[in-house]
Amino acid sequence: MGNPWTDPEKARRWQPTGKPGQVHREHALAVVFALMEVHTPRRVLDLGCGIGDIDVRILTQFPDAVLVGVDASAGMLERAAQALAPFGPRATLLESTLEEAWQRDLEQGFDVVLASQTVHHVEAGAKRDVFRRVHGVLAPGGLFVLN
């Protein structure tokens, strides 16, 4: 079974709200942004950035921040690129799975690593490696948000 998120039509139709499983999304994001506010991030890594809706909010709320968004879906990244275009070089997007993202020369020193609604797609045996690698790219005192 392939990754259903790589289907361009699914990526085109997907909306971040309005689904039964998304009912508490805004409450969870309010907590995420409160945590980030304490850290005043300058470098953010979003693992599974999807259509970039959260990233737009991050770059708007933190005008000195730069962001790297990673997603395995070309269709989602296409939508993210459109949403993030106004931020120019502050936003970089990479097409990759979470398991393979680390082969992309991600530099260390991210103040915040965000994984929102994505780690459950990683095979159980590979999650430990993803978490180890997240730890490796975080700046000292950095924040890893898994929701």
Side-chain angles (χ1 to χ4, degrees), residues 35-118:
L35 290 168
M36 284 196 303
E37 190 69 43
V38 172
H39 287 268
T40 314
R42 295 214 182 253
R43 293 188 68 226
V44 178
L45 175 61
D46 185 358
L47 299 173
C49 66
I51 62 173
D53 60 316
I54 296 172
D55 301 330
V56 166
R57 293 164 72 169
I58 290 170
L59 293 175
T60 300
Q61 185 166 335
F62 302 103
D64 294 327
V66 296
L67 181 136
V68 175
V70 177
D71 205 285
S73 169
M76 292 288 200
L77 288 173
E78 183 178 315
R79 291 182 63 190
Q82 293 170 355
L84 294 168
F87 299 98
R90 292 180 55 209
T92 302
L93 297 173
L94 301 174
E95 184 177 344
S96 179
T97 66
L98 269 65
E99 297 90 336
E100 296 171 351
W102 318 104
Q103 300 168 12
R104 304 297 292 271
D105 292 329
L106 292 175
E107 296 177 19
Q108 295 181 346
F110 285 97
D111 302 302
V112 173
V113 176
L114 172 65
S116 181
Q117 300 177 329
T118 187

